Amino acid sequence: MSLNATPAGERVHIAFFGRRNAGKSSLVNAFTGQDLAIVSDVKGTTTDPVYKAMELLPLGPVQIIDTPGIDDEGALGELRVKKTRQVLNKTDLAILVADSTAPLGQAEEELLSLIKDKGIPYLLAWNKADLLDSVPEEGENTLWVSALTGLHIHELKEKAAALAGQEGPKRPLIADLLQPGDTVVLVVPIDKAAPKGRLILPQQQTIRDVLEAGAAALVCRDTELALTLAGLPKSPKLVVTDSQAFAKVARIVPREVPLTSFSILMARYKGDLALTVEGAKALHSLKDGDKVLVAEGCTHHRQCEDIGTVKLPRWVREATGVEPEFVFCSGREYPEDLSPYKMVIHCGGCTLGEREMKYRQRTAADQHIPITNYGILIAAINGILYRTLEPFPDMAHLLP
Amino acid sequence: MSLNATPAGERVHIAFFGRRNAGKSSLVNAFTGQDLAIVSDVKGTTTDPVYKAMELLPLGPVQIIDTPGIDDEGALGELRVKKTRQVLNKTDLAILVADSTAPLGQAEEELLSLIKDKGIPYLLAWNKADLLDSVPEEGENTLWVSALTGLHIHELKEKAAALAGQEGPKRPLIADLLQPGDTVVLVVPIDKAAPKGRLILPQQQTIRDVLEAGAAALVCRDTELALTLAGLPKSPKLVVTDSQAFAKVARIVPREVPLTSFSILMARYKGDLALTVEGAKALHSLKDGDKVLVAEGCTHHRQCEDIGTVKLPRWVREATGVEPEFVFCSGREYPEDLSPYKMVIHCGGCTLGEREMKYRQRTAADQHIPITNYGILIAAINGILYRTLEPFPDMAHLLP
């Protein structure tokens, strides 16, 4: 696959920020080895973020975001803060370029705060180090470079690759709940919407994780669940169900047997569980006419569409007794401005990839709009959200 | 996805055959609605097969193969038979274009025999029907058309779409062996070669088919198999294992419990089981220095490579006590001429698609070269091939 064949969404995103006078664009050029942005000594020649693909070894294909230079004086301003947040929502690694002959200004301090608030890995690159009498030693997040002489550009790239390549702290999927020899029952309903001859990825991942824990996965349909449970010599360690079968499965599984769903396992694994559980609570403050955004990642997948456009709105109306106005979006058309909406209900996002889902969640969080997902909301509507959270000792803080 | 984005290997292949004088190329043009081949009234202007993509509704994307015209007189000749077989090995539907003002010649009769021998669906299109006083009614495989006036071209396309769209008679995967409430144990070893966080397609398909039969699939690793079997209140209906764990699993599963492998399930499902079981028997007539072709569909997949290039040759040497010469090919580089080889050992072909695998098997069968696959051969080497065939009442004829 050629370099350009890597879709932008799968590239690690590295964003450069800095004051107009710090030589940010020169440093981006030194970093990428190409004339990426117009460089001049007139302040602020970069007026829009510039996106550029490059190969950053040993990391692989990356997307460089060269952002507009910030003012040398004063604070960031509301619009700039908003725009920076948007860029940061897509950023895996932020590089703040500063002038090593001057202290950080107010705008730079604010930028650093924003970056740290979002928990995004960052580097502070002190440029123009060639002008210093002596160059300080690099720190954990800090190093001194010169776009002019090439000083420590190699080190900057190495450090960037190392930082951007670090995966966020992943929580376990299911293995941490299991002992070797345990049996987990997985409920996989087969309806017309299920992909023919395949299992969806969360189901595959769960089976894999069960096996890696030395446990066994007993897979059955909802229609055979009662029979399957009755045939077991002892209760399973856990029952995991597809969210759509929640209501039925919750009635079959004895109250003392731990029960959860693939959606909840995946949300915990990706680190979204707290956010989406909080988001689901907005259900109970909906009023007639409130706008609810139902967002789907894919455009063709009949299953999501049916759930999103037909079943979920009906369930929400039944559960709340109110008539919200449902607005639907699918594919890539997720709005930047979520202010018209009282809540966002997003699909599992299996086709979107983690970066895009994180971006969507961060965008909602920035605007203080509750965001939840189909599986969590269905659990909430069925009144079993808290029951499905009980199996996770590390999620006890989400229980009432 | 645009029309041309459909890879050739996924398109239904429709091949046109005919005598030089029957107006085959004109009919192909009328069929595809484009100037596909050079058309002239000089005999035999098409000298090489021409491949062309088109959309044939309601079937979808198809690949048209316009083959060189055959002589108007005499038999096909050895080379032409060989070339025609090669084209037919890739063909889903053959259309023989004949001149309705003349009877079928010897070469056309031979072509029809070849097509019928291979069991390939076909249509006999009597062209130049505009020259007839009255046009006969169409038969099951026969119709009268005119490339010149457009007579029945629409009907030809409809009939072609219907015939080419028919799936071959598929055997069941596993559901026919199961009753609702049964439990099937699936043994899925997890080694470094297993794809991370996923299950390979044969495993997914098997689980799906078990569920659709109203049965339950109990999935465990080979290392937990003994423990898992001991924990069951009664023997499972069937144990299915990954081929690589055959020897170990066969020792653990009691002789009275039916045992088979994912490879054997898949070979039965695709209709290759008899061919590949016959092919495996060639193992016992190998002599020192005999060439054995080990063919792999993919070029990158470490697992296949290790099995194919390292483990299988060792196992063959150990099982036979002879030293054959192993020749390896991977990806698309499968030789047309298999005569140097005493047998072909092919991987499961999970990345190749059914059309390409059928082509490879037919090519071997044409040349009377035994062909088997990894899973079947591993069962044979472990001395449990016949045991793993016992679960299938419809495969009793393969047992000794």
Side-chain angles (χ1 to χ4, degrees):
Chain A
M1 187 187 280
S2 77
L3 170 61
N4 289 321
T6 306
E10 290 171 21
R11 293 171 173 274
V12 169
H13 284 45
I14 301 178
F16 284 79
F17 299 91
R19 284 200 290 180
R20 295 185 186 181
N21 221 0
K24 176 180 53 65
S25 289
S26 307
L27 189 63
V28 171
N29 288 357
F31 191 91
T32 58
Q34 55 194 310
D35 276 340
L36 189 70
I38 303 142
V39 185
S40 83
D41 51 5
V42 181
K43 285 185 181 182
T45 44
T46 313
T47 55
D48 275 315
V50 177
Y51 289 78
K52 185 75 185 181
M54 71 173 283
E55 188 88 5
L56 180 61
L57 295 176
L59 186 61
V62 299
Q63 184 87 355
I64 300 293
I65 312 175
D66 189 7
T67 67
I70 54 178
D71 277 335
D72 281 352
E73 287 94 31
L76 279 180
E78 197 183 334
L79 188 65
R80 174 52 64 94
V81 169
K82 197 177 155 192
K83 290 206 164 185
T84 303
R85 280 187 182 278
Q86 285 285 24
V87 171
L88 286 175
N89 286 344
K90 302 180 184 183
T91 296
D92 301 296
L93 171 70
I95 299 182
L96 176 57
V97 184
D99 182 340
S100 60
T101 64
L104 287 185
Q106 188 184 348
E108 286 165 315
E109 298 278 11
E110 288 175 18
L111 258 172
L112 262 186
S113 291
L114 277 179
I115 293 166
K116 289 177 184 169
D117 279 355
K118 296 245 173 213
I120 293 166
Y122 71 95
L123 285 174
L124 177 51
W126 289 101
N127 196 16
K128 308 185 187 177
D130 55 294
L131 301 177
L132 299 181
D133 293 332
S134 71
V135 176
E137 293 242 334
E138 64 176 51
E140 198 188 340
N141 292 100
T142 319
L143 73 177
W144 278 259
V145 301
S146 168
L148 186 67
T149 67
L151 177 76
H152 292 169
I153 298 299
H154 181 73
E155 286 73 11
L156 176 64
K157 290 167 80 164
E158 283 203 326
K159 224 169 163 105
L163 262 179
Q166 279 172 9
E167 292 214 7
K170 283 256 164 144
R171 290 177 177 78
L173 184 55
I174 189 172
D176 62 316
L177 307 175
L178 305 177
Q179 301 291 327
D182 279 346
T183 298
V184 179
V185 172
L186 307 180
V187 186
V188 175
I190 305 289
D191 57 18
K192 276 180 288 182
K196 204 156 167 47
R198 287 187 292 120
L199 298 178
I200 59 173
L201 204 52
Q203 294 163 356
Q204 295 183 46
Q205 288 177 287
T206 304
I207 294 174
R208 270 298 297 263
D209 213 43
V210 168
L211 295 181
E212 284 177 27
L218 181 54
V219 191
C220 67
R221 295 189 299 200
D222 50 338
T223 39
E224 279 76 40
L225 175 60
L227 186 66
T228 302
L229 289 176
L232 285 178
K234 58 173 186 165
S235 290
K237 186 65 171 281
L238 180 65
V239 175
V240 183
T241 181
D242 183 275
S243 299
Q244 282 215 75
F246 249 145
K248 182 176 180 184
V249 168
R251 284 193 301 271
I252 295 172
V253 177
R255 185 61 185 87
E256 67 276 13
V257 175
L259 168 68
T260 193
S261 74
F262 293 107
S263 304
I264 286 168
L265 288 179
M266 291 307 294
R268 185 178 76 121
Y269 177 64
K270 294 178 179 174
D272 308 334
L273 191 52
L275 181 74
T276 45
V277 167
E278 283 303 318
K281 293 180 183 167
L283 185 71
H284 303 297
S285 49
L286 284 182
K287 296 186 183 63
D288 287 339
D290 278 353
K291 283 193 177 179
V292 173
L293 180 66
V294 179
E296 281 166 3
C298 46
T299 47
H300 296 291
H301 201 239
R302 179 58 51 185
Q303 182 179 25
C304 290
E305 202 176 296
D306 287 348
I307 302 180
T309 59
V310 181
K311 292 183 185 172
L312 261 183
R314 189 179 69 224
W315 291 335
V316 168
R317 282 190 293 262
E318 288 171 2
T320 61
V322 302
E323 282 284 349
E325 180 189 340
F326 292 94
V327 179
F328 304 97
C329 71
S330 62
R332 297 272 146 186
E333 52 180 36
Y334 188 74
E336 276 200 10
D337 178 11
L338 296 170
S339 60
Y341 306 105
K342 280 286 179 290
M343 77 183 294
V344 178
I345 307 173
H346 207 294
C347 74
C350 58
T351 65
L352 288 178
E354 204 163 331
R355 184 184 330 281
E356 177 69 18
M357 272 309 294
K358 281 252 174 299
Y359 165 76
R360 292 175 177 213
Q361 289 169 347
R362 287 166 172 176
T363 300
D366 276 352
Q367 301 174 39
H368 307 291
I369 310 297
I371 182 166
T372 188
N373 70 37
Y374 287 11
I376 307 288
L377 192 72
I378 293 170
I381 286 172
N382 284 298
I384 53 169
L385 178 57
Y386 294 128
R387 177 177 177 189
T388 61
L389 295 175
E390 285 169 4
F392 311 103
D394 56 332
M395 292 295 147
H397 62 283
L398 296 177
L399 296 175
Chain B
M1 187 188 278
S2 78
L3 169 61
N4 288 322
T6 306
E10 289 171 20
R11 292 169 175 274
V12 170
H13 283 47
I14 301 178
F16 284 78
F17 299 91
R19 285 199 291 179
R20 296 184 184 180
N21 221 0
K24 176 180 54 64
S25 289
S26 306
L27 189 64
V28 171
N29 287 357
F31 190 92
T32 59
Q34 56 194 310
D35 276 339
L36 189 70
I38 303 141
V39 184
S40 84
D41 51 6
V42 181
K43 285 185 182 180
T45 45
T46 312
T47 56
D48 275 313
V50 177
Y51 290 79
K52 186 75 186 180
M54 71 173 283
E55 188 89 4
L56 180 61
L57 294 175
L59 186 61
V62 299
Q63 184 88 355
I64 301 293
I65 312 176
D66 189 6
T67 66
I70 54 179
D71 277 335
D72 281 353
E73 289 94 29
L76 279 180
E78 198 184 333
L79 187 66
R80 173 53 63 94
V81 169
K82 197 178 154 192
K83 290 206 163 185
T84 303
R85 280 186 182 278
Q86 285 284 26
V87 171
L88 285 175
N89 286 343
K90 303 181 183 182
T91 297
D92 300 297
L93 171 70
I95 299 182
L96 177 57
V97 185
D99 182 340
S100 61
T101 64
L104 288 185
Q106 189 185 346
E108 285 165 314
E109 297 279 12
E110 287 175 17
L111 258 173
L112 262 186
S113 290
L114 278 179
I115 293 167
K116 289 177 184 169
D117 278 355
K118 296 243 171 214
I120 293 166
Y122 71 95
L123 285 175
L124 176 53
W126 289 101
N127 195 16
K128 309 186 187 176
D130 54 295
L131 301 177
L132 299 180
D133 293 332
S134 72
V135 176
E137 293 241 334
E138 63 175 50
E140 196 189 339
N141 291 100
T142 318
L143 73 176
W144 278 258
V145 302
S146 169
L148 187 67
T149 67
L151 177 76
H152 292 170
I153 298 299
H154 181 74
E155 286 74 9
L156 176 64
K157 290 167 80 163
E158 284 203 325
K159 225 172 161 103
L163 262 180
Q166 279 173 8
E167 290 214 8
K170 282 259 163 134
R171 291 176 176 80
L173 185 56
I174 188 171
D176 62 316
L177 308 175
L178 305 176
Q179 302 291 328
D182 280 345
T183 298
V184 179
V185 172
L186 307 180
V187 185
V188 174
I190 305 288
D191 56 19
K192 276 180 287 182
K196 204 155 168 50
R198 288 187 292 121
L199 298 177
I200 59 173
L201 203 52
Q203 294 162 357
Q204 295 183 47
Q205 287 177 285
T206 304
I207 294 173
R208 271 298 297 263
D209 213 44
V210 168
L211 296 180
E212 284 177 28
L218 181 55
V219 191
C220 68
R221 296 188 300 198
D222 50 338
T223 40
E224 278 77 40
L225 176 60
L227 186 66
T228 302
L229 289 176
L232 286 178
K234 59 172 186 166
S235 291
K237 185 64 171 283
L238 179 64
V239 175
V240 182
T241 180
D242 182 276
S243 298
Q244 281 215 74
F246 248 145
K248 182 176 181 182
V249 169
R251 283 193 301 270
I252 296 172
V253 178
R255 185 62 186 85
E256 67 276 13
V257 175
L259 167 67
T260 193
S261 74
F262 293 107
S263 303
I264 287 169
L265 288 179
M266 292 307 294
R268 185 178 77 122
Y269 177 63
K270 293 178 180 175
D272 308 335
L273 191 52
L275 181 74
T276 45
V277 167
E278 284 303 318
K281 292 181 183 168
L283 185 69
H284 302 296
S285 49
L286 283 182
K287 296 184 184 62
D288 287 339
D290 277 353
K291 284 193 177 180
V292 173
L293 180 67
V294 179
E296 281 165 1
C298 46
T299 46
H300 296 290
H301 201 240
R302 179 57 52 186
Q303 183 178 26
C304 291
E305 202 177 295
D306 287 348
I307 301 181
T309 59
V310 181
K311 292 183 185 172
L312 261 182
R314 189 180 69 225
W315 292 334
V316 168
R317 281 192 293 263
E318 288 172 0
T320 61
V322 302
E323 281 285 347
E325 179 189 341
F326 292 94
V327 179
F328 304 97
C329 71
S330 63
R332 296 272 146 188
E333 52 180 38
Y334 187 73
E336 276 201 9
D337 179 11
L338 297 171
S339 60
Y341 306 105
K342 280 286 180 289
M343 76 183 293
V344 178
I345 306 173
H346 206 295
C347 73
C350 58
T351 65
L352 287 177
E354 204 163 331
R355 185 184 328 281
E356 177 69 17
M357 272 310 294
K358 281 249 176 301
Y359 164 76
R360 292 175 177 212
Q361 289 169 346
R362 286 166 172 175
T363 299
D366 275 353
Q367 300 173 40
H368 307 291
I369 310 296
I371 182 166
T372 189
N373 70 36
Y374 288 10
I376 306 288
L377 193 73
I378 293 170
I381 286 172
N382 283 299
I384 53 168
L385 179 56
Y386 294 127
R387 178 176 178 190
T388 60
L389 295 174
E390 284 169 5
F392 312 104
D394 56 332
M395 291 295 147
H397 62 283
L398 295 177
L399 295 175

